[in-house]
Amino acid sequence: MTTPAPTQHALPSYLNPDHVGPWGIFLQQVDRVEPYLGNLARWVETLKRPKRILVVDVPIHLDDGSVAHFEGYRVQHNTSRGPGKGGVRFHQDVTLSEVMALSAWMSIKNAAVNVPYGGAKGGIRVDPKTLSRGELERMTRRYTSEIGIIIGPNKDIPAPDVNTNEQIMAWMMDTYSMNQGSTATGVVTGKPVDLGGSLGRREATGRGVFTVGVEAAKHIGMDVSTARIAVQGFGNVGGVAGKLFAEAGARVVAVQDHSGTIYREAGFDVPALLLHVKNTGGVGGFAGAEVIAKDAFWDVPCDILIPAALEQQITKDNAGRITARMVIEGANGPTTPEADDILQERNILVLPDVIANAGGVTVSYFEWVQDFSSFFWDEEEINKRLVRIMQEAFDAVWQVAEENKVTLRTATFIVACKRILHTRELRGLYP
Ligand code: NAD
């Protein structure tokens, strides 16, 4: 009996077209933009197959002398526009499908703000809270060594994501450098400033959220200085965005985080609230605030809603209740596809994550550029360049949305996919 020859389109098992979950959502998003890609559509299959997937075993000695094995991943979705770029996530629920999707969304995000990167992402399936500091360091270093064969300042540049931070980046940079035999600061971004990190990086994502919010408000005739803001998640992204909106005169009327949901019609004293969060770990217990039920957050009268905490928060169950005219996605993937459709039907403008929270990777790009030249810019210079990139990116997306009568999410995908596939076409196929 002869074995049938594989067809040209046979997919590897992990790319099963019936795939559900995050990677399945990404594939649907690509299908949605295909009709807008013109001649470049002939390259679209490129986006549906990650360029490179690495799965690694990460064995370490635990403090009690036993050996534990963790599963690690690094996926380079696309490198047509430049080296891979994207964070590393340490979480017990990390899966290959999730890392593949996150790497693909990084390709879109990097192309949308037009920084010269492809998309990549990494992760380890682990609850880091169960590890001691020493175990965490050993795991990070072994993972870095294992993926060291595909990362590098010109190849793929990791950064922090969920449960990874400046210290983890310092260990990654050191491990890679030890293996190379010389210090390579540009191998990761999000490093401590004393190790080649950039000023302005911590605030960059929140600043980008604020910048696109102000641009969009101009288009829909909203006065930001009188707007009421509701923010979910008051950490790095939500806290900074809330502070900048308040400085522009807006009232931050509702804030929800893991510790509770608070409301004040007259608006909060945001610097005082940030200090309270710094001292106590959450917004709960803030003096003068009305405590409301968790679910009541979605009914709060507001003009701008900023989900800046977790994925899949705006769902078909609450999208019909949201009163805002604009939603700015600070978090990655906070809106489910069904909720997205409901918001569109209700004429609520959604500024999608792939552009709204791209301020972080934009300043990561500045960090990488500064590391290469060993010449560091002041914060004013960084913020000025960040605002310009975000404004230009947003304007390009807005124009495409108007021309094609599509949502800003689809428009961002159109802009980004065209940029990626154009470089694919220019480079051609090797050999
Ligand atoms: P963070 O850890 O600084 O803050 C997270 C916030 O979410 C905290 O206020 C926390 O209390 C709140 N939170 C946690 N669980 C919650 C719950 N169940 N309900 C309501 N609030 C809850 O994290 P961050 O850096 O601000 O990131 C927030 C989101 O933005 C994530 O989705 C992240 O992937 C995304 N993002 C961050 C960056 C960045 O540069 N930090 C860049 C792009 C996207």
Side-chain angles (χ1 to χ4, degrees):
M1 203 173 86
T2 53
T3 315
T7 64
Q8 194 195 342
H9 292 292
L11 291 174
S13 59
Y14 51 83
L15 296 182
N16 182 331
D18 298 330
H19 203 105
V20 288
W23 178 252
I25 292 177
F26 173 73
L27 292 181
Q28 282 174 33
Q29 290 168 334
V30 173
D31 286 343
R32 206 175 274 193
V33 299
E34 197 171 333
Y36 301 95
L37 298 178
N39 288 339
L40 290 171
R42 75 192 191 93
W43 293 101
V44 78
E45 200 65 23
T46 305
L47 298 170
K48 299 182 183 176
R49 299 164 186 251
K51 175 185 172 63
R52 189 174 282 133
I53 293 175
L54 181 62
V55 182
V56 294
D57 174 38
V58 185
I60 62 160
H61 284 294
L62 296 180
D63 292 345
D64 67 5
S66 62
V67 174
H69 291 258
F70 301 99
E71 194 170 311
Y73 313 98
R74 185 74 189 171
V75 177
Q76 294 168 351
H77 171 257
N78 191 279
T79 57
S80 295
R81 289 172 43 84
K85 181 96 192 81
V88 173
R89 178 172 291 200
F90 290 174
H91 196 277
Q92 61 275 19
D93 298 333
V94 163
T95 61
L96 178 58
S97 162
E98 182 185 50
V99 178
M100 280 160 50
L102 291 167
S103 72
W105 286 319
M106 286 309 299
S107 298
I108 301 296
K109 195 179 293 188
N110 293 334
V113 285
N114 215 359
V115 291
Y117 290 135
K121 200 85 181 188
I124 304 183
R125 210 170 149 78
V126 61
D127 178 0
K129 288 191 284 300
T130 62
L131 301 180
S132 69
R133 185 180 161 90
E135 290 166 342
L136 185 64
E137 178 175 352
R138 292 196 287 282
M139 185 187 71
T140 302
R141 287 184 181 278
R142 180 63 190 243
Y143 168 73
T144 307
S145 276
E146 293 293 341
I147 65 166
I149 51 175
I150 62 167
I151 63 169
N154 289 311
K155 292 167 147 183
D156 178 3
I157 306 114
D161 191 62
V162 175
N163 291 332
T164 55
N165 55 23
E166 288 189 350
Q167 179 60 69
I168 305 267
M169 293 307 113
W171 289 331
M172 289 188 75
M173 188 278 270
D174 183 69
T175 305
Y176 180 85
S177 298
M178 290 297 108
N179 287 339
Q180 293 293 310
S182 62
T183 298
T185 51
V187 68
V188 291
T189 59
K191 298 178 295 294
V193 170
D194 290 339
L195 274 185
S198 179
L199 295 171
R201 173 64 186 87
R202 205 195 78 79
E203 293 210 325
T205 306
R207 192 173 294 279
V209 165
F210 170 71
T211 304
V212 293
V214 169
E215 289 302 298
K218 287 182 204 157
H219 284 289
I220 61 170
M222 181 192 285
D223 180 0
V224 166
S225 72
T226 58
R228 295 159 304 170
I229 318 272
V231 191
Q232 186 196 43
F234 216 57
N236 192 4
V237 179
V240 172
K243 185 182 86 163
L244 294 173
F245 272 109
E247 283 171 5
R251 272 182 291 152
V252 176
V253 294
V255 178
Q256 176 174 82
D257 74 358
H258 70 281
S259 69
T261 307
I262 56 173
Y263 177 71
R264 187 165 189 266
E265 197 188 339
F268 292 111
D269 174 346
V270 174
L273 182 56
L274 286 167
L275 192 62
H276 176 80
V277 171
K278 195 172 168 204
N279 291 336
T280 68
V283 299
F286 184 57
E290 184 187 332
V291 177
I292 61 172
K294 190 174 179 205
D295 193 51
F297 176 76
W298 306 106
D299 303 311
V300 160
C302 64
D303 302 298
I304 299 176
L305 172 67
I306 307 175
L310 309 168
E311 293 105 69
Q312 301 188 15
Q313 295 300 297
I314 305 181
T315 64
K316 62 178 176 9
D317 300 326
N318 58 30
R321 291 154 46 194
I322 288 169
T323 63
R325 283 176 66 199
M326 190 198 305
V327 173
I328 315 177
E329 294 186 338
N332 284 314
T335 312
T336 65
E338 298 104 314
D340 222 5
D341 292 342
I342 297 171
L343 296 177
Q344 193 190 354
E345 275 161 28
R346 296 188 57 221
N347 212 13
I348 296 173
L349 185 66
V350 178
L351 313 193
D353 49 5
V354 274
I355 187 123
N357 70 27
V361 76
T362 302
V363 175
S364 273
Y365 164 57
F366 298 161
E367 178 176 336
W368 181 74
V369 169
Q370 292 170 85
D371 287 339
F372 266 114
S373 55
S374 292
F375 178 73
F376 292 88
W377 316 340
D378 63 31
E379 198 161 349
E380 196 187 329
E381 170 85 17
I382 285 160
N383 290 343
K384 202 170 68 189
R385 287 176 185 268
L386 167 65
V387 168
R388 197 173 72 212
I389 286 186
M390 295 300 294
Q391 285 172 338
E392 283 175 4
F394 186 77
D395 287 349
V397 165
W398 187 273
Q399 203 179 331
V400 168
E402 293 270 284
E403 280 167 13
N404 295 286
K405 304 274 168 280
V406 294
T407 63
L408 291 175
R409 196 183 307 281
T410 301
T412 309
F413 267 76
I414 295 173
V415 169
C417 292
K418 278 188 172 174
R419 284 183 181 151
I420 297 166
L421 298 180
H422 178 58
T423 52
R424 168 78 280 169
E425 186 164 75
L426 284 174
R427 290 176 70 150
L429 288 180
Y430 172 84

